[in-house]
Amino acid sequence: MQIVILNDAAEVAAYGADIFSTQLQRKAESVLGLATGSTPVALYQELIRRNREGLVSFKDATTFNLDEYLGLHGSHPQSYRYFMDEQLFNHIDVDKDKTHVPPGDAKNPLTACQDYEARMAAAGGVDLQLLGIGRNGHIGFNEPSSGLTSRTRVKTLTRETIEDNARFFEEGEYQPHLSITMGIGTILDAKKVVLLATGENKAEAVHAMVEGPLTAACPASALQLHKDAVIVVDLKAASKLKDIEFYQHIEAENQKLQDYLASL
Ligand code: GLP
């Protein structure tokens, strides 16, 4: 894993936006894996700005979102489809027909999961997958105990995740306890993965992901198996890492190597 420690959430968003811009500049028809939650919002705003200024285009890209609440139609304000439209898709030059979010209103959720996997495969697989992380180490809605080779499926949410996400729902509003989520195996198939984490409430999960054992108890630790996973955190989310200076040293050395290679 590449561990990038930056000063604050704004720097994390800009770094993430650079990775997405570079990907789209290298391959306009990239397949992007996208995420919801509050963490990626600043990254999406930066991508919208760059798109408006003509610095990056999504017009040939295809997108697949990680997850969706089971039981919510895409027109529901708390659905992840609605979130993606509002936070990103409505403001960039992407072809909406090429944006995919698991269907929360699927009549048969099990076949919908298989269909989602088939669509990803038909698109050539995900080139770049964006992730956030839950306080319990979940990625997508892969809660602790999720199989490390799992594929897109229906997952039950933990009480902690339901409580964490309750802030988005009105009091008394129906909040689903089930989801459709890409599996950990699905996520690991992406050619490159970038996980963003900001704030002190993610520090324990970031420590477990990077320095803990590879275990289904912390689904994000599965990224230790990925050959190109970039973990981008602010100082607060990095605050429980034991080897923080070592990671900063590696990044400084990497930068020197990049500068040397660019000078050849
Ligand atoms: C939800 C999403 C995850 C996301 C997590 C953290 O549970 N399914 O993909 O990473 O929330 O969200 P936040 O960035 O708001 O902390």
Side-chain angles (χ1 to χ4, degrees):
M1 285 189 283
Q2 183 189 355
I3 320 294
V4 181
I5 300 165
L6 301 170
N7 288 315
D8 53 31
E11 286 187 17
V12 168
Y15 194 97
D18 286 347
I19 294 177
F20 271 82
S21 302
T22 305
Q23 174 68 38
L24 286 163
Q25 280 150 9
R26 282 195 189 137
K27 184 179 174 189
E29 67 284 5
S30 288
V31 179
L32 305 175
L34 298 177
T36 55
S38 42
T39 311
V41 170
L43 159 69
Y44 292 154
Q45 282 170 358
E46 178 60 17
L47 288 176
I48 291 167
R49 187 187 69 77
R50 294 184 192 195
N51 185 237
R52 284 198 177 133
E53 289 178 10
L55 301 170
V56 65
S57 172
F58 295 82
K59 81 177 166 45
D60 297 319
T62 301
T63 72
F64 286 91
N65 260 77
L66 280 170
D67 48 11
E68 178 60 284
Y69 286 115
L70 193 56
L72 297 192
H73 185 268
S75 60
H76 190 289
Q78 303 313 332
S79 74
Y80 283 169
R81 157 56 74 181
Y82 191 92
F83 174 98
M84 289 307 300
D85 286 347
E86 290 283 302
Q87 297 294 335
L88 185 66
F89 299 147
N90 289 347
H91 312 288
I92 57 174
D93 61 351
V94 75
D95 175 355
K96 275 264 188 86
D97 291 342
K98 291 200 278 184
T99 67
H100 304 84
V101 179
D105 60 338
K107 197 168 169 203
N108 183 336
L110 302 189
T111 52
C113 293
Q114 289 165 4
D115 180 57
Y116 203 65
E117 286 277 344
R119 279 169 191 253
M120 270 185 278
V126 172
D127 292 302
L128 174 60
Q129 176 67 55
L130 177 65
L131 296 173
I133 185 169
R135 283 193 304 131
N136 61 7
H138 75 225
I139 46 177
F141 269 135
N142 293 284
E143 299 282 31
S145 82
S146 288
L148 298 180
T149 59
S150 51
R151 310 302 303 185
T152 302
R153 70 212 183 290
V154 174
K155 270 305 277 183
T156 307
L157 309 183
T158 60
R159 196 178 300 246
E160 188 181 20
T161 298
I162 292 167
E163 281 165 13
D164 279 353
N165 290 344
R167 67 188 193 277
F168 298 111
F169 291 81
E170 302 288 337
E171 209 173 313
E173 190 178 9
Y174 168 66
Q175 187 184 349
H177 291 191
L178 295 177
S179 67
I180 293 180
T181 182
M182 284 188 199
I184 296 176
T186 319
I187 292 167
L188 291 177
D189 279 352
K191 292 176 191 82
K192 185 181 182 85
V193 174
V194 55
L195 183 146
L196 309 185
T198 57
E200 222 163 308
N201 65 340
K202 299 294 173 65
E204 194 55 57
V206 167
H207 163 63
M209 162 177 64
V210 174
E211 296 174 331
L214 171 64
T215 169
C218 175
S221 68
L223 299 180
Q224 294 173 17
L225 290 172
H226 198 279
K227 62 182 183 309
D228 192 3
V230 190
I231 313 298
V232 191
V233 296
D234 67 358
L235 284 171
K236 287 179 181 158
S239 60
K240 291 201 170 146
L241 289 173
K242 302 266 180 283
D243 279 327
I244 196 162
E245 278 164 21
F246 178 52
Y247 308 133
Q248 286 170 329
H249 172 67
I250 295 171
E251 274 307 290
E253 290 299 310
N254 271 344
Q255 195 50 55
K256 281 188 215 159
L257 181 62
Q258 295 305 327
D259 291 347
Y260 165 71
L261 292 172
S263 73
L264 289 179

